[in-house]
Amino acid sequence: MHPQEQEQPLLVDSEEEQQDTAYDSSDKILIIGVDDADVDSWTRAPPFSWRKLWLFTGPGFLMSIAFLDPGNLEGDLQAGAIAGYSLLWLLMCATAMGLLVQLLAARLGVATGRHLAELCREEYPRWARMVLWVMAELALIGSDIQEVIGSAIAITILSNGSIPLWAGVIITALDCFIFLLLENYGVRKLEAFFAVLIATMAVSFAWMFGETKPSGTDLLLGILVPKLSSRTIKQAVGVVGCVIMPHNVFLHSALVQSRQIDRSKKGRVQEALNYYSIESTVALIVSFIINIFVTTVFAKGFYGTEIANGIGLVNAGQYLQEKYGGGFFPILYIWGIGLLAAGQSSTITGTYAGQFIMGGFLNLKLKKWVRALITRSCAIIPTIIVALVFDTSEDSLDILNEWLNVLQSIQIPFALIPLLYLVSKEQIMGTFRIGPVLKIVAWLVAALVIVINGYLLLEFFSAEVNGAVLGTVMCIFTAAYVAFILYLVSQAITFSSWRNPLQPKMIMDAQNCRMNLQ
C-alpha cells in the first residue's frame, strides 16, 4: 500500500469530484484501511476487519426494509392464518433467492460505480429505457401505496380510531421532510435512523411472539420439512412474489455507492464486495426472523379458525386483541407500533429509491428536495384518493391490496432481466462479472420467480376479468408484455453484437487494470 494511504483516517468525507448521480462526492464516505499496510490492494483484498465491517454496514439494512414492508407483513399474517407453519420453509427459500438478487445488485453498483437505472439509460435504446422507467415508477407507486396505507392503518390503531385513514396518509406523507432533514446530516445518520426503526419492528414482533407462545416444534418442522398443498398454493405464490421488489433492486445498486472506494484496485473492490455480502446476509437473516415472528403468531392464533381467510392489515390488530387481549401492554398497540415502524421506514426508502430511479433513467440534475417532493407526490396523491375511496371498507382495501400485488408482480422481469445481463458481461463488469455457474443459478431463480408471478397473474385475471371487450384488451396487453420480456432476453443474448456507448472506455479501463495486475 502507498504511504499516503496509511496516513489518511479510517472514515472521512471524500472531496474527490465524481461523475455520479446516486451520491454527490461530498456525501460519500471514504474508507481507508489502517490494518492492511502490508497488503498489495492492487491484486487482493486486505484482511478482514470488524471495524471496517462496521463502516460498510448500512446499505444492506436499508435494502432489507423492503422485506419488512406492510405488504410483506400482510402476506406473512395471511400465510400463517391460512397455511399455519407449513410455508416457513418457503419463506426461508424465498429470502435466500431475494438475497442472491440483492447481492448481484450490490455487485453491479460496486464494480461499475453506477447503479442499475443509470446503466439501463446507457445500454438500452431510448424507447426501451422509457418503458423500463415507466414500469419501475409504476412498481414504486404500487409499493408506496401499500406502505403508506399500512402506516396510516397503524396511526389509526394507535389513535384508537380518532385519526381516519386519509389523515394518516397525510401524516405519513410528511416523512419526506424527515428524510430530507436526516439526509442533510449525512449518510450515517440516516442509516442510524433506519436501524432504530428495524429494532422497533424486531422488539414489537418479538414481544408478540413471546405473548402468544407459538409452538417451537411446529416452527422448526415448518422450516425444515417442505410441505405444499392445493389449499395453500395461493399463499405460497404470495410468499415468493412479495420477496423480490423491483424498486429494491434499483435501490441497493445505488446505496452501495455511499462508500467511496478505489475501483482502480481490484483488491479494494473485492474488499467492498466481501463486506457488503456479509452485511446484506446478516440484514436479511434479521428480516427473516421478524417475518417468522409475524407468521407464527397468526399461525398459532388463527390457523384452522373460521376467520382465517378474512384477516388482513385492517382488522389484524383487532383480531389479535380479541384473542390475546389484556396483559401488561395490549397486543393491539404492540402490533400497531411494529406496523407503524414498517410503514414509515419503507415509505422513506421508497422516496430514496424514487430519486435514484428518476435521476438514473432521465439523467435529471435536480436538487435533492425537488426530486424527493416529485417522487413523494407521485405516490401520495393517488394514495390519498385511494384512502378517501376505501376508508370505510375492509373488503375493498383487501381487493385493492391484491391489485397492487399484481401490479408489482408484473414489473419484476423489468428489474431482474436487465440486472442479470449487466452483471454477466465483461464489457460492463470487467473481471467482476459473474461466472457460468452463478449465471445459471441466477437465471434459474429469475425464471422461477417470473413463472410463479405469471401463475399469480393468470389466476387473478382469470377470476377478475369478464366480458369480451375487457378480455380482448387483456389479451393485447399480455401479448405486448410477453413481447417486451422476450426483447429484453434477446438483448441479454445478443448484447455483445451491438454497440455499448461506454464499451470503449470500459474495455480500456479493463486493459489498464490487467496491465497493473501484471
Side-chain angles (χ1 to χ4, degrees), residues 213-463:
K213 297 179 175 62
S215 169
T217 301
D218 290 340
L219 189 158
L220 288 175
L221 289 175
I223 292 175
L224 300 176
V225 181
K227 291 181 182 178
L228 190 63
S229 67
S230 57
R231 187 172 57 86
T232 60
I233 189 68
K234 182 178 180 180
Q235 283 66 45
V237 170
V239 166
V240 177
C242 287
V243 166
I244 297 178
M245 310 289 284
H247 74 274
N248 207 38
V249 179
F250 290 96
L251 175 66
H252 200 197
S253 67
L255 289 174
V256 295
Q257 295 175 45
S258 59
R259 272 64 172 172
Q260 179 66 53
I261 61 171
D262 187 353
R263 276 186 295 275
S264 68
K265 298 179 180 180
K266 180 179 178 181
R268 292 297 184 188
V269 177
Q270 187 60 58
E271 177 188 44
L273 291 175
N274 294 342
Y275 285 122
Y276 281 135
S277 297
I278 296 171
E279 183 234 5
S280 297
T281 301
V282 172
L284 288 195
I285 288 174
V286 172
S287 74
F288 172 62
I289 293 172
I290 294 174
N291 283 319
I292 282 182
F293 287 156
V294 177
T295 302
T296 53
V297 163
F298 284 87
K300 171 67 184 298
F302 306 104
Y303 176 59
T305 64
E306 294 181 356
I307 62 174
N309 289 304
I311 298 179
L313 278 184
V314 178
N315 56 25
Q318 192 59 46
Y319 281 133
L320 283 171
Q321 185 65 18
E322 292 173 2
K323 184 80 174 180
Y324 302 105
F328 173 73
F329 193 69
I331 197 169
L332 172 65
Y333 298 120
I334 299 172
W335 166 253
I337 291 170
L339 182 59
L340 180 63
Q344 288 294 320
S345 59
S346 56
T347 52
I348 298 175
T349 54
T351 301
Y352 219 11
Q355 290 193 32
F356 296 135
I357 290 171
M358 181 177 292
F361 275 108
L362 303 183
N363 197 25
L364 293 178
K365 305 297 182 182
L366 299 176
K367 293 183 178 180
K368 290 179 181 178
W369 69 270
V370 175
R371 282 198 293 178
L373 288 178
I374 292 174
T375 303
R376 210 77 204 96
S377 299
C378 289
I380 289 298
I381 292 174
T383 304
I384 292 175
I385 295 172
V386 164
L388 290 172
V389 172
F390 296 104
D391 193 6
T392 58
S393 175
E394 294 180 6
D395 292 338
S396 297
L397 278 175
D398 289 338
I399 294 173
L400 171 68
N401 188 61
E402 289 184 12
W403 277 95
L404 292 175
N405 284 336
V406 168
L407 176 64
Q408 293 175 77
S409 297
I410 289 174
Q411 318 304 329
I412 286 177
F414 308 130
L416 278 185
I417 296 175
L419 172 67
L420 294 186
Y421 98 80
L422 286 171
V423 297
S424 302
K425 299 303 177 181
E426 186 175 8
Q427 295 94 331
I428 303 295
M429 299 291 292
T431 59
F432 290 97
R433 73 187 188 281
I434 60 175
V437 175
L438 183 56
K439 185 189 301 185
I440 292 172
V441 172
W443 276 103
L444 286 175
V445 167
L448 177 62
V449 172
I450 291 171
V451 168
I452 287 174
N453 281 280
Y455 173 84
L456 174 65
L457 297 176
L458 182 63
E459 288 289 306
F460 181 81
F461 285 119
S462 62

Side-chain angles (χ1 to χ4, degrees), residues 488-515:
L488 293 176
V489 173
S490 69
Q491 292 301 294
I493 296 173
T494 62
F495 174 85
S496 59
S497 65
W498 58 279
R499 182 177 175 81
N500 172 5
L502 296 178
Q503 186 169 319
K505 180 181 182 300
M506 290 183 175
I507 291 177
M508 185 176 295
D509 289 344
Q511 290 171 345
N512 290 336
C513 183
R514 282 193 288 270
M515 289 174 65

Side-chain angles (χ1 to χ4, degrees), residues 79-331:
I82 297 173
Y85 301 86
S86 64
L87 295 181
L88 292 179
W89 67 274
L90 189 59
L91 175 62
M92 181 176 66
C93 294
T95 303
M97 290 190 292
L99 175 61
L100 172 62
V101 172
Q102 296 303 148
L103 289 179
L104 293 178
R107 189 184 190 91
L108 181 71
V110 171
T112 65
R114 292 171 174 267
H115 57 80
L116 182 57
E118 290 177 308
L119 287 168
C120 287
R121 185 187 76 233
E122 299 289 348
E123 301 303 323
Y124 286 102
R126 180 178 176 81
W127 72 269
R129 67 173 179 260
M130 293 306 294
V131 173
L132 289 173
W133 171 62
V134 170
M135 291 300 184
E137 290 288 356
L138 288 175
L140 180 60
I141 291 172
S143 174
D144 215 6
I145 290 175
Q146 286 182 311
E147 293 158 358
V148 171
I149 287 181
S151 187
I153 290 171
I155 292 172
T156 301
I157 291 173
L158 295 175
S159 67
N160 286 320
S162 60
I163 299 179
L165 194 65
W166 65 267
V169 169
I170 294 175
I171 293 172
T172 305
L174 300 178
D175 64 19
C176 176
F177 298 102
I178 298 175
F179 162 72
L180 291 172
L181 177 66
L182 289 172
E183 199 176 27
N184 287 333
Y185 285 98
V187 173
R188 296 296 277 179
K189 301 294 190 300
L190 185 66
E191 292 169 350
F193 175 71
F194 283 106
V196 171
L197 292 176
I198 293 174
T200 302
M201 282 185 271
V203 171
S204 298
F205 298 133
W207 192 335
M208 288 172 51
F209 184 86
E211 289 280 326
T212 58
K213 297 179 175 62
S215 169
T217 301
D218 290 340
L219 189 158
L220 288 175
L221 289 175
I223 292 175
L224 300 176
V225 181
K227 291 181 182 178
L228 190 63
S229 67
S230 57
R231 187 172 57 86
T232 60
I233 189 68
K234 182 178 180 180
Q235 283 66 45
V237 170
V239 166
V240 177
C242 287
V243 166
I244 297 178
M245 310 289 284
H247 74 274
N248 207 38
V249 179
F250 290 96
L251 175 66
H252 200 197
S253 67
L255 289 174
V256 295
Q257 295 175 45
S258 59
R259 272 64 172 172
Q260 179 66 53
I261 61 171
D262 187 353
R263 276 186 295 275
S264 68
K265 298 179 180 180
K266 180 179 178 181
R268 292 297 184 188
V269 177
Q270 187 60 58
E271 177 188 44
L273 291 175
N274 294 342
Y275 285 122
Y276 281 135
S277 297
I278 296 171
E279 183 234 5
S280 297
T281 301
V282 172
L284 288 195
I285 288 174
V286 172
S287 74
F288 172 62
I289 293 172
I290 294 174
N291 283 319
I292 282 182
F293 287 156
V294 177
T295 302
T296 53
V297 163
F298 284 87
K300 171 67 184 298
F302 306 104
Y303 176 59
T305 64
E306 294 181 356
I307 62 174
N309 289 304
I311 298 179
L313 278 184
V314 178
N315 56 25
Q318 192 59 46
Y319 281 133
L320 283 171
Q321 185 65 18
E322 292 173 2
K323 184 80 174 180
Y324 302 105
F328 173 73
F329 193 69
I331 197 169

Side-chain angles (χ1 to χ4, degrees), residues 14 16 486:
S14 173
E16 252 182 80
L486 293 176

